[in-house]
Amino acid sequence: MAYTIDRFSAEVTAAIAATGRVPVALIETTTPKPNIPADLAFPAFKAAKELGVAAAQLAADLAAAIVPAKDSLIGVVSAAGPFLNFALQPQHLATAVITEIIALGPRYGHQQEGVGKTIVIDYSAPNIAKRMHVGHIRSTIIGQALVNIFRALGYSVVGDNHLGDWGKQFGVVLASIEREGKPQSSGETALEELEAMYARYANEMKDHSALDDRARHWSLALEHGDSEARALWQWAIDLSMDAAQRNYERLGVTIDHAYGESFYEPMLDGVIQEALASGAAYRDEGGAVVVEELDKNIPTFLLQRSDGGTLYMTRDLATIKFRMDAFNPARIVYVIGEPQSLHLRQLFALVRQMGYTGETELVHVSFGTVFDNKGKPLSTRGGNMVYLEALLDDAVQRALAVVEHKNPELPAAEKQAIAEAVGVGAVVYNDLYQDTRRNITLDWERMLATEGNSATYLQYSVARCRSILRRAADTGSAPGNDPQLFRVLEHPAEQQLLKQLARLPEAIREAGARYAPFVVADWCYTTARDFGVFFEQCPVLKAESVTLRDARLALVAATAQALINGLVLLGIRAPERM
Ligand code: ARG
């Protein structure tokens, strides 16, 4: 599928080539600066140099030689110094863009670049028997947006929730449950109780060797597959996943697999043997398996302790081997906070040395820290940590106040539903509106603002489009659907909006190439602003002619559709009205 914007660019290249004056290999086009009244430019320097002519002369000659076909997307062609500028033909632009958005509907923006390629995305990955904290929240939200974006690009995406469900600490978890009994509550409250039980136990264990022995007993029992230990452990997993599931549903998150660290236990011996055999690791006198400085940026690390215990790293090594065998992915993407970047560099260096991954690309999508509105990083120790369920509840509560204020006359149930979409949307957008590597702040005022770069503003824009369409329907009018009709959309504000709508496919491509959901977020924000300008300058229901009204209604419908498509990629719902 070639989108309007791609067809325009292909037509420009073909038009330059057809003059016979520039070899195709030298035709490279760029986006002109915003103050230039053109949509694509061919800077003639390189070609001119190659051909031994002056760039301005070449640009002028080309401008004179190019006569766009009647139905071409190319409008005015002009030379400006060494640049050859191409403007979109306004009528053809309007016809092409609105037609393709209406035809593709929810698939507008989707494309084929990834067909036949698999990407594994490792995200969310909470730890069992604990609440999901801000780090997991960011991973969950960013990871799901990347899943959506890569699926839209045609990749076959495998999401994997690499649960922290294994390791020595589970001995303590089980021993503390044995001692105090299971919490009777559910959701985040139950996990909070488990965390407290764990902390009490771990604390007392320091001075009571009997408690220490008991924890070790449970840890061994679990490792040896003892049925009581397994059952208790499974109970803790179910409890945690139940709590996670409630939040995932609210966030629109669905993760294909949740193998979890425990899944790899049977493979650990094998990968340790392979690491030894490959020469990447050696066993020291104490019996530990050591990977020594693979290069000077990769400090030494362990794959097995001298007591035979394995590590987080060992399980990540087995995970890569398994993913290669099971999915043969072109890429494996890890959505994990910055503090684990050394861990991943070590892991990636090791698997490359061992030859596990061949051509497969390993990518760390890192993200920054979350700060409270006083500028303090959220941390368990700092006592200001925020957990997922509480965060979403808080957001929805605050959103409800906004909705009550803006639209008090709506039925209570609808207000509640809108508040859910607005509150959750605000949290999601806060994670996605800028480069993931940047830190974010929990600043409700900004997050729920109805103007400015917020999910709320974007949701309002969609609701505004829908309200215009509803009012039109009430008076018996509807968006036009005859492509010839759209030619009347020549007002600068209409043209600006049309060009912006045409760019969605490009934005999705760039977001994928840079692992950057914010590119889609930016596209949504600019679109909403362009729509705002259009709405201010171009009356729709009161347009001066029926033709213009119906064409504008079609533009409004196309805007709503494209904006919704962008928001869907980010995981944000747009309520019918607000
Ligand atoms: N459970 C880990 C944590 O909370 C994150 C796991 C990330 N994924 C991975 N393959 N290591 O820190």
Side-chain angles (χ1 to χ4, degrees):
M1 155 90 224
Y3 283 106
T4 302
I5 195 136
D6 304 320
R7 293 208 309 276
F8 173 56
S9 153
E11 282 183 24
V12 164
T13 303
I16 300 171
T19 62
R21 298 188 194 203
V22 184
V24 179
L26 293 177
I27 306 177
E28 241 177 73
T29 52
T30 59
T31 309
K33 297 224 171 69
N35 59 328
I36 308 288
D39 302 297
L40 209 57
F42 170 59
F45 314 99
K46 230 176 142 190
K49 198 168 169 205
E50 200 88 3
L51 302 169
V53 294
Q57 188 57 52
L58 178 60
D61 290 350
L62 289 171
I66 293 172
V67 183
K70 251 187 107 178
D71 60 348
S72 171
L73 283 162
I74 301 175
V76 176
V77 184
S78 60
F83 291 94
L84 180 63
N85 289 329
F86 295 83
L88 278 152
Q89 206 288 341
Q91 301 173 337
H92 296 166
L93 166 70
T95 306
V97 174
I98 298 183
T99 314
E100 82 191 355
I101 296 176
I102 292 173
L104 293 170
R107 295 191 54 80
Y108 173 63
H110 289 218
Q111 41 215 303
Q112 310 287 314
E113 93 172 33
V115 170
K117 293 189 201 117
T118 299
I119 300 186
V120 174
I121 304 190
D122 180 315
Y123 68 114
S124 194
N127 297 322
I128 296 306
K130 289 184 173 178
R131 288 168 290 178
M132 265 199 232
H133 61 61
V134 283
H136 302 117
I137 302 175
R138 291 215 75 184
S139 174
T140 304
I141 291 171
I142 296 165
Q144 187 64 46
L146 291 174
V147 167
N148 300 340
I149 288 166
F150 283 114
R151 288 211 172 115
L153 289 169
Y155 291 88
S156 149
V157 179
V158 179
D160 187 16
N161 197 347
H162 193 71
L163 302 174
D165 62 356
W166 206 244
K168 256 175 103 181
Q169 73 277 18
F170 278 95
V172 181
V173 173
L174 299 193
S176 77
I177 299 173
E178 176 188 47
R179 186 168 76 150
E180 298 194 30
K182 296 172 181 169
Q184 293 307 307
S185 49
S186 70
E188 221 164 61
T189 318
L191 296 175
E192 186 179 356
E193 268 183 68
L194 272 183
E195 281 174 34
M197 284 162 54
Y198 179 97
R200 275 194 291 275
Y201 197 102
N203 199 26
E204 286 171 44
M205 199 169 80
K206 285 186 242 146
D207 318 309
H208 297 87
S209 63
L211 292 182
D212 193 30
D213 290 345
R214 202 60 198 156
R216 211 189 331 271
H217 157 83
W218 279 112
S219 172
L220 282 174
L222 188 55
E223 215 165 294
H224 297 148
D226 169 78
S227 61
E228 196 191 347
R230 279 277 166 171
L232 210 47
W233 169 79
Q234 189 60 51
W235 169 85
I237 294 181
D238 293 344
L239 178 77
S240 308
M241 289 313 282
D242 246 33
Q245 199 50 44
R246 297 189 199 182
N247 296 318
Y248 288 157
E249 267 159 35
R250 296 176 81 178
L251 290 166
V253 167
T254 43
I255 314 180
D256 302 305
H257 302 285
Y259 290 108
E261 291 185 46
S262 62
F263 176 77
Y264 303 98
E265 175 66 23
M267 298 165 229
L268 299 182
D269 265 339
V271 293
I272 290 170
Q273 290 316 320
E274 285 177 3
L276 289 168
S278 73
Y282 67 90
R283 200 179 282 281
D284 73 7
E285 324 74 80
V289 175
V290 184
V291 179
E292 205 165 66
E293 269 202 352
L294 291 170
D295 75 54
K296 56 181 186 323
N297 303 317
I298 309 286
T300 301
F301 59 95
L302 292 185
L303 283 181
Q304 190 169 33
R305 285 191 298 258
S306 50
D307 67 3
T310 55
L311 300 100
Y312 180 51
M313 180 66 85
T314 328
R315 293 185 282 281
D316 257 329
L317 177 60
T319 305
I320 290 191
K321 184 181 163 82
F322 170 76
R323 286 174 179 164
M324 292 302 297
D325 291 345
F327 308 115
N328 186 29
R331 300 182 221 172
I332 307 177
V333 177
Y334 293 79
V335 186
I336 318 184
E338 200 283 323
Q340 292 194 32
S341 64
L342 174 60
H343 168 79
L344 288 181
R345 277 195 287 122
Q346 291 172 318
L347 174 67
F348 295 173
L350 174 61
V351 293
R352 283 195 199 104
Q353 175 96 359
M354 291 174 66
Y356 269 4
T357 46
E359 301 281 279
T360 301
E361 226 182 302
L362 302 170
V363 182
H364 178 199
V365 174
S366 163
F367 51 80
T369 311
V370 186
F371 287 83
D372 66 18
N373 60 355
K374 295 184 197 77
K376 259 180 50 180
L378 301 182
S379 77
T380 314
R381 248 184 251 149
N384 61 348
M385 184 47 100
V386 168
Y387 299 95
L388 183 48
E389 191 172 16
L391 175 69
L392 296 179
D393 287 345
D394 188 13
V396 171
Q397 214 45 48
R398 290 167 191 266
L400 190 57
V402 178
V403 179
E404 291 285 5
H405 177 73
K406 281 251 164 192
N407 228 334
E409 73 285 358
L410 289 177
E414 187 173 354
K415 277 191 277 202
Q416 190 60 46
I418 295 171
E420 178 74 20
V422 170
V424 172
V427 169
V428 169
Y429 200 70
N430 199 36
D431 267 303
L432 300 179
Y433 80 103
Q434 53 179 5
D435 191 317
T436 61
R437 284 165 296 189
R438 297 184 51 181
N439 299 330
I440 60 173
T441 310
L442 280 180
D443 170 0
W444 294 109
E445 200 133 328
R446 177 181 47 73
M447 289 162 67
L448 290 166
T450 51
E451 291 294 329
N453 196 359
S454 69
T456 317
Y457 172 60
L458 303 179
Q459 290 166 321
Y460 263 113
S461 302
V462 174
R464 204 185 242 178
C465 292
R466 285 170 157 163
S467 127
I468 298 171
L469 296 168
R470 261 197 316 272
R471 273 187 289 140
D474 286 347
T475 56
S477 48
N481 54 14
D482 170 8
Q484 293 314 312
L485 191 72
F486 310 141
R487 307 168 67 97
V488 296
L489 299 172
E490 290 194 273
H491 188 285
E494 293 165 340
Q495 285 289 311
Q496 173 77 20
L497 178 57
L498 285 161
K499 284 177 194 174
Q500 177 59 18
L501 295 180
R503 281 188 203 115
L504 177 60
E506 210 173 64
I508 300 175
R509 253 177 337 244
E510 187 186 336
R514 298 171 62 188
Y515 301 97
F518 81 86
V519 176
V520 172
D522 268 354
W523 177 87
C524 289
Y525 180 45
T526 306
T527 305
R529 282 209 334 247
D530 288 346
F531 176 74
V533 173
F534 158 78
F535 187 69
E536 220 177 78
Q537 302 187 359
C538 304
V540 179
L541 298 174
K542 295 200 172 85
E544 56 256 41
S545 73
V546 172
T547 314
L548 191 57
R549 181 197 65 197
D550 293 353
R552 283 185 178 160
L553 281 173
L555 178 55
V556 171
T559 303
Q561 180 69 65
L563 256 183
I564 290 169
N565 294 3
L567 289 174
V568 163
L569 294 178
L570 302 177
I572 295 171
R573 277 168 297 144
E576 197 60 40
R577 47 182 183 172
M578 283 172 66

